[in-house]
């Protein structure tokens, strides 16, 4: 099973529809679950926000599973490489995490199993959610030897 965790809700309804579309397509291959994690309390410093979010994220880490952070410091893949990576790890529970507005606290990076970068560019949190869902679907089609159709 693949689970995707992100802080807060997807604000843009059009992007939410796109996420739902790719989740529906991907679920034909494998069950996926998306979990909205609560944002940190307002009125505190960036470090306190990251610390609050760290506790929430770490509580969702699967022991024995693969915990992957989407992080600009991570390794980048081309789509076929990503498909191969997911296929090799498919015996494990795979958890993807998208952090909050200020990124991940150092403790989360230290405890993660893998850091994955989608680009050297910065994307909105809503956009990266859609991109992750699309790439998971694309990986499944590559692995299954199916032609990719939008």
């Amino acid at each position: 099973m693949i689970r995707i965790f992100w802080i807060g809700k997807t604000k843009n309804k059009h992007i939410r529809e796109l996420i739902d579309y790719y989740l529906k397509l991907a679920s034909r291959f494998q069950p996926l679950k998306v979990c909205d994690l609560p944002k940190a309390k307002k009125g505190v410093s960036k470090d306190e926000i990251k610390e609050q979010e760290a506790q929430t994220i770490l509580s969702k880490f699967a022991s024995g599973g693969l915990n992957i952070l989407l992080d600009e410091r991570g390794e980048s893949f081309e789509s076929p490489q990503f498909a191969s990576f997911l296929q090799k790890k498919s015996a494990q529970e795979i958890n993807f995490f998208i952090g909050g507005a200020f990124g991940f606290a150092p403790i989360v990076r230290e405890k993660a199993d893998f850091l994955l970068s989608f680009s050297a560019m910065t994307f909105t949190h809503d956009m990266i959610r859609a991109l992750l869902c699309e790439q998971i679907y694309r990986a499944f089609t590559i692995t299954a030897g199916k032609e990719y159709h939008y």
Side-chain angles (χ1 to χ4, degrees):
M1 159 148 322
I2 292 178
R3 298 187 308 166
I4 305 168
F5 296 91
W6 51 56
I7 301 292
K9 300 206 179 284
T10 305
K11 296 172 190 166
N12 185 305
K13 76 173 192 160
H14 301 294
I15 294 175
R16 181 70 232 178
E17 289 169 0
L18 191 59
I19 290 167
D20 291 342
Y21 173 76
Y22 283 114
L23 289 173
K24 181 179 176 184
L25 292 174
S27 68
R28 295 177 189 164
F29 296 92
Q30 183 176 341
L32 286 104
K33 183 177 181 184
V34 171
C35 304
D36 296 330
L37 300 177
K39 285 179 150 184
K41 296 175 189 173
K42 292 184 178 182
V44 296
S45 72
K46 288 179 186 179
D47 288 339
E48 290 171 314
I49 288 171
K50 288 190 337 187
E51 182 57 36
Q52 286 177 25
E53 290 173 351
Q55 296 310 311
T56 301
I57 290 167
L58 291 172
S59 75
K60 302 299 180 187
F61 270 26
S63 82
L66 182 66
N67 298 297
I68 301 170
L69 304 184
L70 270 68
D71 187 277
E72 69 274 2
R73 296 175 184 104
E75 188 173 337
S76 294
F77 292 125
E78 292 179 1
S79 294
Q81 292 171 310
F82 183 58
S84 177
F85 174 81
L86 286 183
Q87 185 178 30
K88 288 175 187 170
K89 305 297 184 181
S90 65
Q92 297 176 294
E93 180 176 313
I94 300 173
N95 296 312
F96 288 96
F97 294 88
I98 299 173
F102 304 114
F104 295 106
I107 187 74
V108 177
R109 276 192 203 88
E110 291 168 18
K111 293 187 181 253
D113 299 307
F114 193 81
L115 301 180
L116 175 65
S117 173
F118 266 51
S119 173
M121 294 181 184
T122 302
F123 296 101
T124 67
H125 285 83
D126 284 0
M127 288 296 293
I128 200 65
R129 294 169 183 185
L131 290 171
L132 175 61
C133 294
E134 187 277 335
Q135 283 297 301
I136 290 171
Y137 168 64
R138 184 179 296 269
F140 289 162
T141 63
I142 291 168
T143 300
K146 300 210 178 277
E147 205 167 307
Y148 181 84
H149 296 285
Y150 179 74

